[in-house]
Amino acid sequence: MQDEIIFKTARAIMFVDSDVVFTHNGDNKGMGKLYKYLTSDPDLGGAAGEIEVWRWTKNPVTITQYFEYKSNQFMAKTFENWFGMVTCLPGAFCMVRPQALEHVLSCYLQDANTIVEKNQLDLGEDRTMTTLLLQAGWRTGYLTSATALTDVPQTLPQLIRQRRRWINSTVVNMWLLLRHVNRWCSAFPLLVSLGVELISSFTLPTAVLMLFFQMGASVGLNALLVIAVIILWVLLLLVLSLTADLDRVHYWFEASAVVGAVVIFLMIVYTVQSADLFLHKYWAEVVVVVGWVVIIVLSSVIHRQWTSVLGVLAPVTWLFMSPTMYVIVPLYAICNFDDVSWGTRG
């Protein structure tokens, strides 16, 4: 049956979203570059190009995604590519070798019965396909010179819904990947980093909330009051995420995003006003943040796209939206793990 599905003469299968534009900065050869890259290595099961956010200056939601796309591709995808283990070939712009897809097709098209299987197979079908290719022993790659433009969610509710699918699918697929991929000798650093990333999916919201508490206590606010406010805020988000229709209560989430941005602004003001004390008391945190910034800047320079990072608008907007991306969105995703709508597999 499978032999009849895929023609043996085909050398690549293209996956693309309907809103993707291939002409970017005057370069309309993205598909050709990706095809040449995939077919040049017989061990390469699939390859992804660089996806740019189209019309990204519309509002803070699109600007944040622009910076997130850039930093993720500069660092995560490039790092994964060194080991031949790009963990997600995005359905918006990638190519897969027919023989590799045929190798995993029966697993890819199997029925999903449990909630975990539906999150694995149905919600992030591109990540599912990539996980299966890696488990089958194929390498996956990333080519930064093959570029395409895509639209992204324009509003906060749209973004929350999209990331609910992405986060839950990523957690399940990454767990399965770490359990079943036998590359601990050849890709040990990458697999360790993926394990840390998986753990951070659950710990990062807590870390951000602890940072809020630490900052509130540092400026002289009553510690119990700060804890009470944080708990009430989280409880509100949990109750709304578990019980309410997102379209009806979107203003609560939008208000929470504004509150998070205000807290970040107050943290910046306090840091500037108390720079000496802050550096003395939180020097380890400063080292981590500065190191992360340096890595992003160097990555953007290496990719010859330094303006995307050193331009003030995108990174500053992302900073103010970070409570939304690392607290509000993950909490909503975890609370709606049983929501398996909007899957497109098969």
Side-chain angles (χ1 to χ4, degrees):
M1 177 62 181
Q2 290 184 15
D3 292 340
E4 299 174 2
I5 296 176
I6 299 175
F7 291 105
K8 297 299 184 180
T9 55
R11 301 189 65 189
I13 298 175
M14 181 85 179
F15 289 83
V16 62
D17 284 350
S18 59
D19 59 0
V20 166
V21 176
F22 292 104
T23 300
H24 175 53
N25 290 337
D27 182 3
N28 60 359
K29 300 179 180 179
M31 283 190 290
K33 292 178 180 178
L34 196 60
Y35 175 81
K36 184 177 180 180
Y37 174 63
L38 175 66
T39 56
S40 65
D41 185 350
D43 295 326
L44 202 60
E50 180 177 335
I51 300 177
E52 294 267 0
V53 175
W54 193 18
R55 297 174 290 200
W56 61 274
T57 57
K58 279 189 173 183
N59 57 52
V61 173
T62 57
I63 295 171
T64 299
Q65 292 173 88
Y66 169 78
F67 181 78
E68 190 181 51
Y69 271 58
K70 282 294 185 181
S71 58
N72 176 268
Q73 291 176 128
F74 287 166
M75 295 190 296
K77 266 193 166 50
T78 300
F79 183 58
E80 292 171 353
N81 184 58
W82 287 348
F83 299 94
M85 284 186 61
V86 174
T87 56
C88 183
L89 301 174
F93 181 39
C94 74
M95 285 187 184
V96 177
R97 189 179 299 275
Q99 293 78 10
L101 183 59
E102 186 177 30
H103 196 176
V104 303
L105 195 59
S106 60
C107 294
Y108 181 70
L109 295 179
Q110 67 179 314
D111 293 332
N113 300 311
T114 67
I115 295 297
V116 172
E117 288 176 347
K118 289 179 179 179
N119 275 282
Q120 173 202 354
L121 295 169
D122 289 344
L123 294 192
E125 64 282 350
D126 48 5
R127 184 172 287 274
T128 297
M129 179 185 65
T130 310
T131 299
L132 292 172
L133 290 174
L134 292 171
Q135 289 175 344
W138 290 93
R139 295 175 60 252
T140 53
Y142 165 66
L143 183 65
T144 185
S145 62
T147 57
L149 291 167
T150 187
D151 272 326
V152 295
Q154 309 288 309
T155 66
L156 184 58
Q158 291 175 353
L159 176 64
I160 291 175
R161 286 196 180 91
Q162 181 200 62
R163 296 310 168 93
R164 183 264 306 169
R165 295 186 301 116
W166 286 12
I167 291 173
N168 291 340
S169 172
T170 297
V171 167
V172 175
N173 276 284
M174 196 171 292
W175 169 248
L176 293 172
L177 183 64
L178 291 172
R179 285 183 59 192
H180 298 294
V181 168
N182 187 22
R183 298 192 190 181
W184 287 99
C185 293
S186 60
F188 181 76
L190 173 60
L191 294 175
V192 169
S193 71
L194 293 178
V196 172
E197 182 180 347
L198 177 61
I199 295 172
S200 69
S201 300
F202 303 97
T203 60
L204 196 54
T206 305
V208 174
L209 295 174
M210 289 179 63
L211 181 62
F212 284 0
F213 165 75
Q214 194 175 42
M215 187 57 60
S218 298
V219 298
L221 296 177
N222 183 278
L224 292 178
L225 176 62
V226 175
I227 292 175
V229 170
I230 291 176
I231 291 176
L232 288 174
W233 182 46
V234 172
L235 286 176
L236 174 64
L237 291 174
L238 290 175
V239 170
L240 292 175
S241 298
L242 286 167
T243 63
D245 180 13
L246 184 58
D247 288 327
R248 291 187 175 184
V249 297
H250 64 89
Y251 49 85
W252 284 106
F253 288 94
E254 290 165 352
S256 294
V258 173
V259 170
V262 170
V263 172
I264 292 296
F265 175 75
L266 295 176
M267 290 174 60
I268 294 173
V269 172
Y270 171 76
T271 303
V272 173
Q273 291 179 342
S274 309
D276 293 339
L277 176 63
F278 187 86
L279 290 173
H280 176 73
K281 195 173 183 179
Y282 304 113
W283 63 269
E285 289 86 344
V286 172
V287 170
V288 171
V289 172
V290 171
W292 180 78
V293 171
V294 169
I295 291 174
I296 288 183
V297 171
L298 289 178
S299 300
S300 67
V301 172
I302 292 173
H303 285 80
R304 299 179 183 179
Q305 299 184 43
W306 59 269
T307 55
S308 62
V309 172
L310 296 183
V312 176
L313 181 62
V316 170
T317 302
W318 172 87
L319 178 62
F320 283 113
M321 286 285 289
S322 56
T324 299
M325 303 304 291
Y326 298 130
V327 178
I328 298 174
V329 171
L331 284 179
Y332 182 87
I334 293 171
C335 290
N336 290 273
F337 190 79
D338 60 338
D339 183 357
V340 293
S341 59
W342 203 4
T344 58
R345 181 178 62 98

